[in-house]
């Protein structure tokens, strides 16, 4: 479902000129890109292969909205609460985060290495009347094109799928504007995450297709801190996100043994 041009005259921020719709870069893991590309048309099917992500999304959005409102001094309940601020969603998939961020008022750029994902995301955003600058690109291409800097850089559930996590994260960090913030979300490399985040999720509960994750690529919070050493950031977290089977809901938690988020604020 790839598209070489936008299906509607969506706004193109000045920072996006020079992007190519062919994604290449050192951070790319071709096998993971191919896996998600094969499912691209199903991103917005709440009962399809991305159903667990749809259920997870409200907790992610609540966390992101509250932390960004606090950081920028905005009212999270206000319409267009983040108007005037720029945001880039790296590894945006079908746009499940990019669209609500645009509705909150952010000027949104969203990139993904899969042109199939971008085609799906563009088409859905056009149907919703949302002007989001989607590009099939790697974070290296974003930097090389001179894009940004951005007030907010989102790196959500993508770092565990790249070939060189440290190089990838450092490149992402260079896109953050002074006083801006980067939010990283991933899976912890613990025995609990192996049992529940990998084996149970893929082979018992069938929440995601088998092979979606490689537990060896999960990252510990202290590893993310180490990756950002020497960069002008204050890193906080981890903040856990846990699933309650009784309420069938995700929520923020003190337990970061499986899913967690970290904040990196540029000094």
């Amino acid at each position: 479902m790839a598209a070489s041009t936008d299906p509607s005259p969506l706004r193109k921020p000045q920072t996006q000129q020079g992007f190519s719709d062919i994604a290449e870069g050192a951070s790319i893991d071709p096998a993971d890109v191919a896996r998600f590309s094969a499912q691209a048309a199903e991103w917005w099917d709440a009962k399809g292969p991305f159903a667990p992500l749809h259920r997870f999304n409200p907790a992610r959005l609540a966390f992101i909205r509250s932390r960004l409102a606090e950081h920028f001094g905005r009212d999270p309940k206000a319409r267009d609460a983040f108007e005037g601020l720029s945001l880039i969603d790296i590894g945006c998939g079908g746009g499940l985060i990019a669209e609500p961020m645009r509705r909150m008022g952010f000027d949104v750029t969203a990139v993904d290495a899969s042109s199939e994902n971008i085609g799906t995301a563009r088409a859905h955003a056009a149907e919703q009347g949302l002007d989001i600058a989607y590009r099939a690109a790697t974070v290296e291409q974003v930097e090389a094109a001179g894009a940004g800097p951005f007030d907010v850089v989102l790196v959500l559930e993508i770092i565990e799928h790249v070939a060189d996590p440290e190089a990838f994260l450092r490149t992402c960090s260079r896109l953050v504007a002074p006083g801006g913030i980067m939010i990283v979300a991933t899976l912890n490399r613990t025995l609990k995450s192996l049992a529940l985040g990998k084996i149970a999720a893929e082979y018992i509960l069938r929440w995601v297709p088998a092979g979606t994750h490689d537990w060896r690529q999960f990252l510990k919070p202290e590893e993310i801190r180490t990756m950002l050493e020497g960069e002008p950031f204050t890193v906080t977290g981890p903040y856990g996100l846990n699933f309650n089977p009784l309420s069938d809901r995700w929520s923020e938690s003190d337990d970061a043994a499986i899913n967690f988020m970290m904040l990196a604020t540029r000094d």
Side-chain angles (χ1 to χ4, degrees), residues 31 127 163 170 184 218 229 255:
E127 291 171 359
R170 286 184 179 271
V184 181
F218 291 3
E229 282 184 356
D255 183 359

Side-chain angles (χ1 to χ4, degrees), residues 215-247:
W215 179 79
R216 295 168 298 180
Q217 292 181 276
F218 291 3
L219 295 168
K220 294 180 177 293
E222 55 267 31
E223 291 174 334
I224 291 177
R225 290 180 183 277
T226 299
M227 289 175 187
L228 290 173
E229 282 184 356
E231 302 290 348
F233 284 91
T234 299
V235 181
T236 58
Y239 305 93
L241 289 174
N242 282 351
F243 177 71
N244 185 332
L246 298 178
S247 64

Side-chain angles (χ1 to χ4, degrees), residues 30-81:
D32 270 318
V33 173
R35 183 179 299 112
F36 286 106
S37 293
Q39 300 172 319
E42 301 177 279
W43 273 101
W44 288 95
D45 181 359
K47 296 182 179 180
F50 295 105
L53 197 53
H54 282 268
R55 295 164 70 188
F56 183 47
N57 227 20
R60 286 199 303 178
L61 290 170
F63 177 92
I64 293 169
R65 183 174 55 230
S66 66
R67 294 313 195 276
L68 294 183
E70 179 181 1
H71 179 74
F72 292 108
R74 301 295 179 96
D75 179 1
K77 297 180 181 179
R79 184 176 181 180
D80 295 332

Side-chain angles (χ1 to χ4, degrees), residues 2-110:
S4 58
T5 58
D6 290 297
S8 64
L10 303 184
R11 172 178 47 81
K12 303 287 194 305
Q14 183 70 24
T15 54
Q16 298 314 301
Q17 294 181 359
F19 275 3
S20 166
D21 271 355
I22 301 175
E24 299 174 348
S27 66
I28 290 298
D29 184 329
D32 270 318
V33 173
R35 183 179 299 112
F36 286 106
S37 293
Q39 300 172 319
E42 301 177 279
W43 273 101
W44 288 95
D45 181 359
K47 296 182 179 180
F50 295 105
L53 197 53
H54 282 268
R55 295 164 70 188
F56 183 47
N57 227 20
R60 286 199 303 178
L61 290 170
F63 177 92
I64 293 169
R65 183 174 55 230
S66 66
R67 294 313 195 276
L68 294 183
E70 179 181 1
H71 179 74
F72 292 108
R74 301 295 179 96
D75 179 1
K77 297 180 181 179
R79 184 176 181 180
D80 295 332
F82 300 100
E83 186 173 4
L85 295 174
S86 60
L87 176 149
I88 184 167
D89 182 10
I90 298 171
C92 65
L96 300 188
I97 287 288
E99 289 198 10
M101 292 295 104
R102 181 67 191 107
R103 289 190 174 97
M104 292 180 197
F106 283 107
D107 180 356
V108 177
T109 297

Side-chain angles (χ1 to χ4, degrees), residues 187 191-202 208 213 215 218 258-259:
L187 289 147
L191 291 178
K192 187 174 182 179
S193 73
L194 175 61
L196 300 179
K198 170 64 179 177
I199 297 173
E202 294 186 14
V208 294
H213 293 108
W215 179 79
F218 291 3
I258 303 178
N259 295 83

